[in-house]
Amino acid sequence: MKKQICYAIMPLLIASSIHVSNAATEDNERLAIQQPIIEMVYKKQWNKLDQIFKEYNAGFPATSNGTQKIVVAYGAIYETYGQGGENLQEIAQEWLKANPDSTAAVIVEAMSYDGKATFVRGESSASTVDEDAWPKYQKINEAKKAWLLKHKEVAAKEASWYQDMILTARNLNDKALIMQMLEEGSNTFPDYQNIYIQAVEALLPKWGGSPEDIEKVARIAVKKTADKYGKSYYAYLWYNALQFQPEMMDLLYEHKLISWDDMKAGWHDRYKKYPGDHIANEYMTTACLASDKMAYQEGSAWVKSHAGDHPRQAWLRNMDYVKCDNYFESKK
């Protein structure tokens, strides 16, 4: 069935006035977060920035699609000022000079190491990286780890500190530190989804982890968030894992390790929290992969209730709703 499903990689959106409106809502929400952040950094309004990050760290408000606003805010700074890391370091140092107890400034300084590491390593596969780049890359990540640990007492009041530590542990191939930071971070900030997302990415098979590690993280997340989110994080984390490493899609197709029942329940829980065609499409693509016709049709109905048609956003690689429709039609 899998070969029949599709060969269109990350299909483009189908035009629809209703869907354009839905997409515009999410885009506008992100712009409403990003633009003030970028302007405040430019104007060196450090107190205002600290207040915003404090608000975003309290309760983790999210956009319509479920992306927590603190992630969008830090992303705006990195994407605008992060190339090479030098600008970020200057920003962070000036920010810390004005406000030595700023958790956000410590995180921005840590992000500057990411910019430097990316500049040294590049963004292509490891096999293409020059051998003499690796010691420099290692040194930068060790320096980032030292920076974060030095400022833990202040900066670990913010959930992003744990996310950054997990990323650093991944880059240093330190699985024990990944698990330690996941445990500490999820105990302190159980609702911050990027602690789990970063752990999932760090524990992918391509980084030396395993599908069993991903399942463990997903179960930890559900246990910590069930009262508020049900099984939402199970679906969300496994979906992201399949996006990060599509080779694991076979697990859902063959009903191995991944619980489709729990994933399906998770999509229902997440859709209640963030109703929209984005979540509905994620439900559809996984239902197709799991060969669950009724769930697929339910997801399709959700999409149509928002978009009027299938915009085909947020589908897993090589998945396409037209091929899924044809597959289920052939099974009548």
Side-chain angles (χ1 to χ4, degrees):
M1 184 272 265
K2 197 164 46 171
K3 290 184 179 178
Q4 292 176 297
I5 290 175
C6 66
Y7 288 95
I9 295 180
M10 295 304 292
L12 298 175
L13 306 180
I14 290 178
S16 149
S17 60
I18 299 177
H19 172 252
V20 168
S21 175
N22 289 343
T25 298
E26 175 73 13
D27 290 343
N28 288 339
E29 288 177 15
R30 286 173 176 263
L31 284 173
I33 298 165
Q34 295 163 335
Q35 288 178 338
I37 292 289
I38 293 168
E39 184 177 354
M40 287 176 200
V41 171
Y42 179 75
K43 293 182 178 180
K44 304 179 181 181
Q45 296 174 322
W46 311 126
N47 289 336
K48 286 186 177 181
L49 283 162
D50 283 324
Q51 183 59 38
I52 286 177
F53 279 103
K54 184 177 180 180
E55 291 172 2
Y56 287 165
N57 194 65
F60 306 109
T63 66
S64 297
N65 284 350
T67 301
Q68 291 171 339
K69 293 182 179 181
I70 194 169
V71 177
V72 179
Y74 276 123
I77 296 175
Y78 187 81
E79 290 163 13
T80 305
Y81 301 102
Q83 188 172 6
E86 298 299 334
N87 289 337
L88 282 177
Q89 190 168 40
E90 290 178 12
I91 289 166
Q93 290 299 313
E94 190 166 352
W95 192 341
L96 283 168
K97 186 177 180 180
N99 191 349
D101 292 329
S102 171
T103 60
V106 173
I107 301 302
V108 170
E109 173 85 5
M111 287 162 50
S112 76
Y113 290 97
D114 294 331
K116 293 174 185 177
T118 299
F119 181 77
V120 167
R121 183 200 180 283
E123 298 187 53
S124 55
S125 64
S127 61
T128 66
V129 179
D130 291 339
E131 284 300 317
D132 61 356
W134 290 116
K136 299 174 185 176
Y137 180 76
Q138 178 85 3
K139 186 176 180 180
I140 291 169
N141 281 290
E142 289 285 4
K144 179 187 174 185
K145 176 183 173 182
W147 170 264
L148 287 168
L149 290 174
K150 177 182 177 181
H151 295 276
K152 181 177 181 180
E153 185 175 350
V154 170
K157 296 173 184 176
E158 189 174 308
S160 300
W161 185 89
Y162 291 97
Q163 176 186 344
D164 250 358
M165 280 295 295
I166 292 171
L167 172 60
T168 306
R170 185 199 79 178
N171 292 339
L172 293 172
N173 297 315
D174 190 341
K175 186 174 180 179
L177 183 58
I178 293 170
M179 299 309 297
Q180 178 189 345
M181 290 297 102
L182 171 62
E183 181 179 3
E184 286 185 22
S186 62
N187 284 339
T188 309
F189 300 103
D191 294 340
Y192 183 55
Q193 62 191 17
N194 270 48
I195 287 175
Y196 307 109
I197 284 289
Q198 195 65 67
V200 162
E201 186 170 7
L203 294 168
L204 291 170
K206 65 182 178 181
W207 289 103
S210 68
E212 289 76 15
D213 289 329
I214 307 303
E215 175 71 3
K216 183 176 181 179
V217 175
R219 293 299 177 186
I220 290 171
V222 170
K223 183 178 180 180
K224 298 289 178 69
T225 63
D227 288 348
K228 189 180 293 187
Y229 295 98
K231 293 182 177 178
S232 172
Y233 277 34
Y234 188 83
Y236 180 71
L237 293 173
W238 261 115
Y239 181 83
N240 277 274
L242 299 180
Q243 278 194 317
F244 291 145
Q245 191 156 351
E247 297 89 342
M248 293 194 298
M249 288 165 63
D250 283 345
L251 294 172
L252 185 55
Y253 173 62
E254 297 172 1
H255 292 263
K256 294 179 178 178
L257 186 64
I258 303 173
S259 168
W260 171 240
D261 287 341
D262 287 344
M263 181 177 272
K264 181 163 58 175
W267 287 130
H268 280 81
D269 291 333
R270 194 161 182 83
Y271 185 73
K272 289 176 186 175
K273 187 77 173 175
Y274 307 111
D277 57 284
H278 189 89
I279 304 301
N281 270 276
E282 291 176 344
Y283 181 31
M284 277 185 73
T285 185
T286 49
C288 180
L289 192 57
S291 303
D292 187 332
K293 183 177 181 178
M294 290 184 65
Y296 178 81
Q297 290 175 333
E298 181 180 39
S300 177
W302 291 356
V303 172
K304 290 179 180 179
S305 71
H306 295 282
D309 204 341
H310 293 295
R312 295 190 292 179
Q313 62 171 339
W315 277 63
L316 293 169
R317 192 174 78 181
N318 293 346
M319 301 287 290
D320 180 88
Y321 86 89
V322 174
K323 299 289 178 63
C324 288
D325 281 351
N326 291 339
Y327 170 76
F328 287 123
E329 186 69 22
S330 71
K331 295 300 178 181
K332 286 185 177 179

